[in-house]
């Protein structure tokens, strides 16, 4: 594990050196982007890019997404699951889902959203517990080992420090014909599978309806489905950006996309303002899994550029995710909707967001699964009371539901 961290820091240092070399800024080919002459979709707050039966994309407002859901679902309840970004900590979300299914009570989520690492888990969460074996294999058998393969000096002339091929191969192996066909069947029932990327040219988030791609994409469904997943998890500078071709408004555009976590730690769709308190005679259910801690505890930091950068980035990500969660709790509470959420306690010994070592991934997966099986995963935002610390499960680190800081957010009035 120390070697993995050392390799990451070494490559990060190389990236920093490359960045400082301003004279090298013109190296490498220019990334594709839409030109000013090309018509762009109207900006829609919380819009969803969905593929119509015609094979062209359209941008739907959150209100329109909610309207279409109501028309398709009928009396079925509305249940939403959001999976956050988190790098190697995606093992937490996967383990949480597998553990939640142990008693057979994990719901069928009407809408599943994912960002970055959460986007890679989202298709399995969408398809239900019958696909848990695939998630378990990915995070417990060493499949993620060597996901980060340095490009060496190629990073100077290329677009990333690490090769994107290992992640591409992993996605291609699991996002196969069977998975995409299964997603299409569920999309035809009115359910939504949504993932976010970041448009590199505009710097804005883009939410993709993967179910519509699986359902209406034809021969292009599989490559586009896979490419969107790859883009959502491609951390800029670390992994290459992904070029996507989009047909919309009678024209075809070429866009460059990177990790959705650049602009969104997680997202709820439809947006909270468009969610009803109840649906189909049942209370609307919203759950969020945060693949990381909500605070960055004090720790010694070496007085060098890489350590300072890494510590600052970690603190910033924790803070942005926490404030996003706080605002989401407030927005849902204003609609009379409760939120259940889970995050990794700061006491858990995380080894870093990019340590994909087999032992690290398996330990985090099994920790989350054991907490879920014990009923110690979720914090309920409508409780109004801080969570009191309880005994840890079987000597393991404190479970999310037992962490007082995580529970503190549930008691916030504003």
């Amino acid at each position: 594990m120390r070697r993995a961290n050392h390799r990451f820091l070494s490559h990060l240092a190389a990236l920093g050196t490359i960045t400082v070399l301003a004279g090298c800024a013109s190296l490498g080919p220019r990334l594709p982007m839409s030109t000013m002459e090309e018509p762009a979709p109207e900006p829609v707050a919380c819009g969803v890019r969905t593929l119509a039966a015609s094979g062209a994309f359209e941008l739907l407002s959150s209100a329109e997404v909610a309207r279409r859901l109501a028309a398709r679902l009928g009396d079925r309840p509305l249940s939403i699951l959001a999976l956050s970004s988190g790098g190697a900590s995606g093992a937490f979300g996967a383990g949480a889902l597998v553990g939640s299914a142990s008693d057979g009570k994990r719901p069928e989520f009407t809408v599943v959203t994912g960002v970055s690492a959460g986007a890679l888990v989202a298709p399995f969460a969408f398809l239900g517990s019958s696909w848990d074996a695939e998630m378990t294999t990915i995070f417990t058998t060493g499949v993620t080992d060597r996901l980060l393969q340095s490009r060496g000096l190629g990073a100077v002339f290329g677009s990333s420090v690490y090769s994107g091929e290992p992640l591409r191969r992993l996605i291609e192996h699991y996002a196969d014909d069977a998975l995409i066909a299964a997603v299409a069947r569920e999309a035809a029932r009115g359910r939504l599978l949504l993932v976010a990327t970041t448009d590199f040219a505009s710097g804005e988030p883009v939410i993709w309806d993967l179910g519509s791609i699986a359902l209406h994409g034809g021969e292009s469904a599989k490559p586009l489905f896979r490419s969107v997943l790859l883009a959502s998890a491609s951390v800029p500078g670390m992994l290459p950006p992904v070029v996507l071709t989009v047909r919309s408004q009678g024209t075809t555009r070429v866009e460059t996309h990177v990790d959705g976590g650049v602009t969104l730690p997680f997202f709820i769709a439809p947006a909270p303002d468009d969610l009803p308190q109840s649906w189909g005679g049942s209370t609307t259910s919203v759950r969020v899994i945060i693949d990381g801690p909500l605070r960055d505890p004090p720790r010694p930091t070496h007085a060098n550029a890489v350590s300072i950068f890494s510590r600052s980035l970690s603190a910033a990500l924790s803070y942005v995710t926490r404030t996003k969660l706080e605002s989401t709790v407030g927005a849902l509470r204003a609609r009379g909707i409760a939120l259940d959420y889970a995050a990794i306690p700061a006491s858990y010994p995380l080894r870093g967001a990019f340590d994909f070592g087999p032992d690290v991934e398996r330990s985090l997966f099994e920790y989350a699964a054991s907490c879920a099986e014990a009923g110690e995963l979720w914090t309920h935002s409508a409780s109004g009371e801080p969570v009191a610390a309880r005994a840890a499960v079987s000597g393991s680190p404190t479970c999310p539901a037992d962490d007082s800081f995580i529970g503190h957010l549930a008691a916030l009035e504003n």
Side-chain angles (χ1 to χ4, degrees):
M1 290 181 288
R2 289 182 178 178
R3 287 196 298 271
N5 283 336
H6 178 72
R7 285 198 304 271
F8 167 65
L9 292 177
S10 297
H11 299 322
L12 190 62
L15 176 61
T17 302
I18 295 166
T19 304
V20 171
L21 296 176
C24 296
S26 61
L27 295 176
R30 188 180 297 273
L31 293 172
M33 60 177 287
S34 298
T35 65
M36 294 299 292
E37 290 75 22
E38 292 175 337
E42 292 287 335
V44 177
C46 302
V48 174
R49 185 179 275 183
T50 188
L51 188 64
S54 64
F57 279 99
E58 54 184 344
L59 193 63
L60 304 181
S61 68
S62 172
E64 177 63 15
V65 171
R67 188 194 68 78
R68 292 190 183 191
L69 266 178
R72 294 171 181 171
L73 291 179
D75 293 333
R76 284 180 286 164
L78 176 60
S79 177
I80 299 173
L81 172 68
L83 298 162
S84 85
S85 58
S89 296
F92 174 78
L97 288 166
V98 172
S100 297
S102 62
D103 59 1
K105 295 182 179 179
R106 191 171 93 201
E108 176 186 83
F109 297 104
T110 316
V111 181
V112 175
T113 75
V115 180
S116 191
L120 301 182
V121 173
F124 301 112
F126 182 72
L127 294 176
S129 57
S130 61
W131 291 77
D132 283 358
E134 283 78 2
M135 278 198 296
T136 302
T137 298
I138 291 171
F139 292 103
T140 64
T141 64
V143 171
T144 59
D145 195 21
R146 296 188 61 77
L147 268 182
L148 298 181
Q149 295 183 9
S150 173
R151 299 178 64 243
L153 292 177
V156 176
F157 302 97
S159 58
S160 64
V161 173
Y162 298 104
S163 169
E165 286 308 304
L167 180 57
R168 183 185 299 276
R169 288 193 296 269
L170 178 66
I171 291 172
E172 289 176 349
H173 180 77
Y174 286 97
D176 56 10
D177 291 333
L179 182 141
I180 294 173
V183 169
R185 286 193 295 271
E186 294 306 312
R189 295 177 56 217
R191 298 173 63 213
L192 292 175
L193 171 60
L194 310 175
V195 304
T197 63
T198 298
D199 185 322
F200 192 69
S202 68
E204 295 294 328
V206 176
I207 298 174
W208 302 79
D209 181 351
L210 284 186
S212 70
I213 293 174
L215 188 60
H216 300 306
E219 294 181 355
S220 300
K222 184 163 65 175
L224 182 56
F225 190 101
R226 291 169 167 178
S227 292
V228 171
L229 286 178
L230 180 63
S232 185
S234 292
V235 179
M238 290 188 63
L239 295 174
V242 177
V243 176
L244 300 172
T245 301
V246 179
R247 186 161 69 89
S248 177
Q249 297 183 327
T251 188
T252 299
R253 298 193 311 279
V254 178
E255 302 174 346
T256 299
H257 287 256
V258 296
D259 196 301
V262 171
T263 48
L264 289 175
F266 67 87
F267 66 98
I268 305 296
D273 289 347
D274 297 310
L275 290 178
Q277 185 176 15
S278 61
W279 193 302
S282 301
T283 302
T284 297
S285 168
V286 181
R287 289 183 175 182
V288 177
I289 296 179
I290 304 295
D291 287 329
L294 294 176
R295 65 186 176 104
D296 207 39
R299 63 175 185 268
T301 302
H302 294 289
N304 61 69
V306 171
S307 296
I308 293 171
F309 172 76
S310 178
R311 173 75 172 100
S312 300
L313 180 62
S314 175
L317 291 175
S318 295
Y319 180 78
V320 168
T321 302
R322 186 172 73 247
T323 54
K324 172 69 172 177
L325 182 60
E326 289 171 348
S327 66
T328 301
V329 168
L332 290 171
R333 187 171 289 168
R335 303 284 292 180
I337 302 171
L339 169 70
D340 292 333
Y341 62 91
I344 302 175
S347 61
Y348 185 87
L350 285 175
R351 301 295 182 182
F354 303 105
D355 188 343
F356 293 94
D359 293 340
V360 174
E361 294 288 81
R362 182 169 53 253
S363 295
L364 182 55
F365 178 94
E366 292 175 349
Y367 159 76
S370 66
C371 288
E373 290 170 1
E376 304 295 336
L377 180 69
W378 301 105
T379 295
H380 190 60
S381 70
S383 65
E385 297 292 336
V387 175
R390 296 186 289 254
V393 177
S394 303
S396 64
T398 301
C399 281
D402 301 325
D403 185 87
S404 58
F405 184 85
I406 293 175
H408 168 71
L409 294 180
L412 294 176
E413 291 298 326
N414 298 299

